[in-house]
Amino acid sequence: VKPGTTSLQTGGVDLDDPNLSQEEKDLRLALALQQQENTAAYEESKKRQESAAAAKKNRTTRSNFSTSLASIRKQQKEAGDDSPKHASAYTAPGTSSDEQLAHELSKVEQTTAGAAKLMDKIVQNSSDAKVANKLRTGRSTTRTHI
């Protein structure tokens, strides 16, 4: 039953035929309803299947299959293109400004970590010295002369 209507779309099944018994009418109506449900279920299944296929395609696209090195080399080989104009933009170590920046940041991090370890060691030694001093002075003040 569609909103705003009182009749059921029976898909061409004539339920007003006076020669049909009530049982036959009910059977035809049930078959028509079943066909509608089957059609709706098929459409829903088709949508899910298309959605899954689109998701799979997106995953394949996001994995950059067509831009992977192996795929590029395969395309170059198939095209017979071995010319150096397709050489990569590789730069040797030590020549990249990014690599130099990373090296400088690494030095700063190592220096900072070293300073933190040194401070921890100084604090620990100072604490140990205080505890040892307190223990020594505590013994000497609690001793009684016999």
Side-chain angles (χ1 to χ4, degrees):
V1 177
K2 289 188 177 184
T5 64
T6 56
S7 64
L8 183 65
Q9 298 291 330
T10 59
V13 176
D14 186 20
L15 299 177
D16 295 330
D17 188 0
N19 296 331
L20 296 176
S21 67
Q22 185 63 41
E23 187 176 322
E24 186 68 26
K25 289 179 183 180
D26 291 344
L27 179 64
R28 288 185 181 191
L29 181 61
L31 288 173
L33 288 173
Q34 186 65 48
Q35 287 176 346
Q36 284 180 344
E37 289 175 3
N38 289 349
T39 303
Y42 174 75
E43 292 297 324
E44 185 64 29
S45 173
K46 189 175 177 182
K47 284 181 187 178
R48 279 195 309 266
Q49 188 176 17
E50 289 171 355
S51 176
K56 183 177 179 181
K57 182 180 178 188
N58 285 340
R59 281 193 301 274
T60 303
T61 302
R62 283 193 302 264
S63 70
N64 296 324
F65 172 75
S66 62
T67 59
S68 69
L69 181 60
S71 177
I72 291 169
R73 294 291 187 247
K74 181 180 176 187
Q75 289 174 355
Q76 288 175 347
K77 193 174 198 179
E78 288 173 354
D81 193 7
D82 295 329
S83 62
K85 68 180 180 179
H86 292 292
S88 66
Y90 174 76
T91 56
T95 59
S96 169
S97 62
D98 289 339
E99 193 262 337
Q100 290 172 352
L101 176 64
H103 185 65
E104 291 298 321
L105 290 175
S106 176
K107 282 183 184 178
V108 170
E109 287 176 357
Q110 289 173 356
T111 304
T112 304
K117 285 181 182 178
L118 182 61
M119 285 301 298
D120 286 343
K121 187 175 182 179
I122 290 171
V123 169
Q124 185 64 39
N125 287 345
S126 175
S127 176
D128 290 346
K130 285 181 183 178
V131 168
N133 189 26
K134 189 174 183 181
L135 184 62
R136 278 193 303 275
T137 58
R139 278 193 217 149
S140 62
T141 57
T142 57
R143 275 194 184 164
T144 57
H145 295 283
I146 303 175

